[in-house]
């Protein structure tokens, strides 16, 4: 689809690095209105040649690990290196109202005031892992806006960190040194997605942090690495003092260089783009299925029969799928 004149002007302003245009473009791609979705798709096609140059970093961790504080300290360090940073901070949404607090800007007050930083709180809206199509498409918009580093901060409640790993170049997991055993149930699956593990708040208990990091390094042989070209690195840092932040950036650069030299960096992005296309196909099919006139007519009776136990879910699913056929 050809861009409307207003959207063509929006694309030009975004490529000229105008912050207002950036905010308007992300608002458009986050909209769920059908007409806005069509406009957003056309806008993204227009911007696509100008995307792909940023390093995409996914950051997750359990609540209380200090994600926002770490991102602010890390972001301030990146700005000091002359880089431009965009942070897509995903807030948990209420399952009842769909609303979000969107408080990450207050958690990153210093960073939000910097000219070369942009923080965009975004509601999770029930997306698994806290990352939906809004985050992925907003990331492309930020790249077109000339940002060098894109950070996606997930909700971090152990839902499915596969979501952030499937859209970023590198996945960084923040850990607490004194977390105890209550996280063991979710830890292994998330750790196998992680490229870098950082024990945050190291200044509070240096000894405990060193012990926890040492135990993690010793246990690496039990984990399958996310990539055959990279051995997961375990680091210690303190967002409040800045200790360890330069080392985190050095390891991230090492990761990018290693993966690029192995040809795995671009290959990973190709697989991510293909997987995302199929995800959108599946989501679109489900949406069309639910809105199909014959399906909507048959659905109330089918749901009642399932609830009453008069027919099996498999039988009724087949009935609805048959109704969906042209």
């Amino acid at each position: 689809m050809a861009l409307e004149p207003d959207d063509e002007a929006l694309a030009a302003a975004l490529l000229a690095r105008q912050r207002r245009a950036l905010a308007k473009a992300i608002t458009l791609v986050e909209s769920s209105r059908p007409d806005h979705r069509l406009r957003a798709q056309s806008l993204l096609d227009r911007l696509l040649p100008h995307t792909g140059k940023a390093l995409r970093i996914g950051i997750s961790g359990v609540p209380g690990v200090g994600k926002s504080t770490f991102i602010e300290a890390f972001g301030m360090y990146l700005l000091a290196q002359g880089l431009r940073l965009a942070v897509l901070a995903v807030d948990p949404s209420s399952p009842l109202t769909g609303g979000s607090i969107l408080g990450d800007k207050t958690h990153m007050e210093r960073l939000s005031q910097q000219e070369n930083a942009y923080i965009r709180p975004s509601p999770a809206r029930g997306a698994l892992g806290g990352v939906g199509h809004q985050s992925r498409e907003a990331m492309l918009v930020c790249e077109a806006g000339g940002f060098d580093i894109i950070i996606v901060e997930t909700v971090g409640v152990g839902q499915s960190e596969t979501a952030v790993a499937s859209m970023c170049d590198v996945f960084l997991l923040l850990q607490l040194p004194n977390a105890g055993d209550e996280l063991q149930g979710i830890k292994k699956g998330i750790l196998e997605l992680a490229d870098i593990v950082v024990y945050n708040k190291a200044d509070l208990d240096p000894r405990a942090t060193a012990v926890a990091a040492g135990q993690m390094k010793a246990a690496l042989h039990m984990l399958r690495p996310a990539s055959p070209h990279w051995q997961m690195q375990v680091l210690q840092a303190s967002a409040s003092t800045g200790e360890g932040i330069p080392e985190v950036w050095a390891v991230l650069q090492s990761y990018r260089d290693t993966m690029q030299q192995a040809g795995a960096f671009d290959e990973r992005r190709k697989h991510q783009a293909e997987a995302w296309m199929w995800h959108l196909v599946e989501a679109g099919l489900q949406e069309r299925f639910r809105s199909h006139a014959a399906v909507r007519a048959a659905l109330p009776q089918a749901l009642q029969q399932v609830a009453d136990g008069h027919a099996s879910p498999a039988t009724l699913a087949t009935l609805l799928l048959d109704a969906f056929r042209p």
Side-chain angles (χ1 to χ4, degrees), residues 58 131 136 154 160-171 193-195 268 272:
V131 179
R136 187 180 296 266
T154 65
S160 176
E161 303 310 310
T162 305
V164 66
S166 69
M167 65 181 283
C168 293
D169 301 316
V170 55
F171 179 35
L193 295 172
D195 302 297
R268 181 172 181 172
Q272 288 175 348

Side-chain angles (χ1 to χ4, degrees), residues 202-266:
D203 58 308
L204 298 182
D205 194 337
R207 183 179 178 280
T209 304
V211 169
Q215 291 175 341
M216 179 64 71
K217 290 177 182 178
L220 290 181
H221 68 280
M222 295 188 295
L223 298 171
R224 182 178 61 184
S227 169
H229 305 288
W230 176 259
Q231 178 65 50
M232 182 172 63
Q233 301 293 299
V234 181
L235 304 172
Q236 303 173 41
S238 169
S240 60
T241 67
E243 180 183 358
I245 297 296
E247 287 75 12
V248 171
W249 176 232
V251 170
L252 282 165
Q253 290 177 293
S254 176
Y255 172 87
R256 178 175 56 188
D257 295 342
T258 300
M259 296 294 280
Q260 286 178 338
Q261 290 170 9
F265 194 87
D266 290 338

Side-chain angles (χ1 to χ4, degrees), residues 13 51 81 84 116 128 164 166 182 187 203 208 216 230 314 320:
T51 66
Q81 312 308 306
R84 300 183 76 231
N116 287 327
L128 196 59
V164 66
S166 69
E182 66 272 13
K187 186 178 290 185
D203 58 308
M216 179 64 71
W230 176 259
L320 291 172

